[in-house]
Amino acid sequence: MNNDATRYPSLERRVVFITGGGSGIGAGLTRAFHRQGAEVAFVDIDDAASQALVEELKAETGRAPQYRHCDIRDVAALQAVIAEVGHTLGPIHTLVNNAANDDRHAWDAVDVAYWDERMSLNLRPMFFAAQAAARQMIDAGGGSIINFGSISVQMAIGDLSTYVTAKAAVHGLTRSLARDLGKHGIRVNTLVPGSIMTDRQLEKWIGPEEEASIQARQCLKLRLEPCHVAPAVLFLASADSLAISGQELAVDGGWG
Ligand SMILES: NC(=O)c1ccc[n+]([C@@H]2O[C@H](COP(=O)([O-])OP(=O)(O)OC[C@H]3O[C@@H](n4cnc5c(N)ncnc54)[C@H](O)[C@@H]3O)[C@@H](O)[C@H]2O)c1
């Protein structure tokens, strides 16, 4: 635990809903919001990692975040969980649209079914989670929605066209929703991670050579980890960012 972490009194007892909160960057978000005293509910499909995280935080703090198994490709199930969390914990104040999947695919192997499935995971749930959560936020007088983009939008990475397309669309989604929801006191922003060394990234895509070349591109010669992303998300959820909406905040070590 980072004992130097900034405390945000405005996050205490706030209901925070995180997609993909069981591992990777999402687990860092679950930990960070929980340690702020927020009431965290998260969805994921990795039951083992999610339940281990719940136990870890329960042992650390004596209270537990709420885990619900939910495949976010199922819009009805996702919106039902959001409604249920609103009934049991109170209105959602912060929605973090974090879950995504960056599986590689050859451009000429993508068919319509695969394209649609990728969008149903990497883009569609962000809109429908926001739609369901915003209804609660409007009744409660405001809130914060943080959508996860990706540095890959600025890069020319091959074998990733459906993911990069979805991530590029996140910027438009954020800006348009910021306009629709701003009148209700709801802020919508995009968090743009750089290359974050999660377990999955290290297992699947990034070896020592790739990591060296990533650090060469970063202004800061630092291994970026989930603990570097979470503080920026806390800020965007807190009252300290009350006048910030429709923006993109990169946590990428200064990519160039
Ligand atoms: N790690 C990076 O370098 C990096 C870079 C740029 C952007 N991002 C973005 O940051 C966010 C988090 O990425 P990450 O690296 O932690 O990913 P990750 O794959 O490590 O974690 C994603 C989490 O989402 C869950 N998930 C996957 N499919 C799901 C589904 N259908 N329903 C519910 N949950 C599901 C996974 O089980 C996992 O817990 C994503 O939006 C990703 O695109 C990450």
Side-chain angles (χ1 to χ4, degrees), residues 20 23 25 44 70-72 98 100 148-150 163 167 194 196 200:
S23 74
I25 294 171
D44 209 294
C70 176
D71 186 329
I72 62 169
N98 161 75
F148 266 64
S150 170
Y163 174 86
K167 288 298 183 184
I196 314 297
R200 176 179 154 89

Side-chain angles (χ1 to χ4, degrees), residues 135-170:
R135 290 175 179 140
Q136 298 178 23
M137 293 175 184
I138 289 169
D139 290 345
S144 177
I145 297 173
I146 298 131
N147 296 323
F148 266 64
S150 170
I151 195 170
S152 61
V153 172
Q154 292 169 242
M155 300 161 70
I157 309 180
D159 295 336
L160 207 55
S161 52
T162 70
Y163 174 86
V164 177
T165 301
K167 288 298 183 184
V170 171

